[in-house]
Amino acid sequence: MRQGVKRNERNRANLSQLKTQVKKLRAAIAKGDAGEAKKALNETVSEIDKAAKKGIVHDNAASRYKSRLTRHVNAMAAPRA
């Protein structure tokens, strides 16, 4: 039980860190700052990969997050037609 409590705290901290990073990226996207969004994307993808490796999020969910966030950032850089 004590191990479970420790793991729960550790998982919660890692998930919170991931969510914070995703919020930072989404804020940069909403602000329309392509340079900041590109930088935040690299940090966010790294956090997502770490969370998936630790089992905090499922591998497919991590892939889905990365794909969707990357699409948003790339859409900012693409010229609007």
Side-chain angles (χ1 to χ4, degrees):
M1 187 172 147
R2 287 180 302 207
Q3 286 178 338
V5 170
K6 276 190 216 175
R7 289 176 184 154
N8 190 355
E9 288 174 10
R10 194 177 313 127
N11 289 343
R12 189 172 303 154
N14 287 329
L15 184 61
S16 175
Q17 192 173 357
L18 172 63
K19 285 181 176 181
T20 301
Q21 190 62 44
V22 170
K23 283 180 191 175
K24 286 180 186 176
L25 174 58
R26 288 190 174 143
I29 291 170
K31 198 163 54 171
D33 187 357
E36 186 180 328
K38 254 319 190 202
K39 183 181 164 211
L41 177 66
N42 290 336
E43 295 170 3
T44 304
V45 167
S46 176
E47 282 294 328
I48 292 170
D49 286 337
K50 286 177 191 174
K53 181 179 176 187
K54 293 174 184 177
I56 307 299
V57 292
H58 194 275
D59 289 342
N60 288 354
S63 186
R64 188 174 62 242
Y65 276 130
K66 291 190 294 187
S67 174
R68 289 178 181 172
L69 293 170
T70 303
R71 262 193 309 176
H72 285 297
V73 172
N74 289 342
M76 290 174 64
R80 303 206 191 277

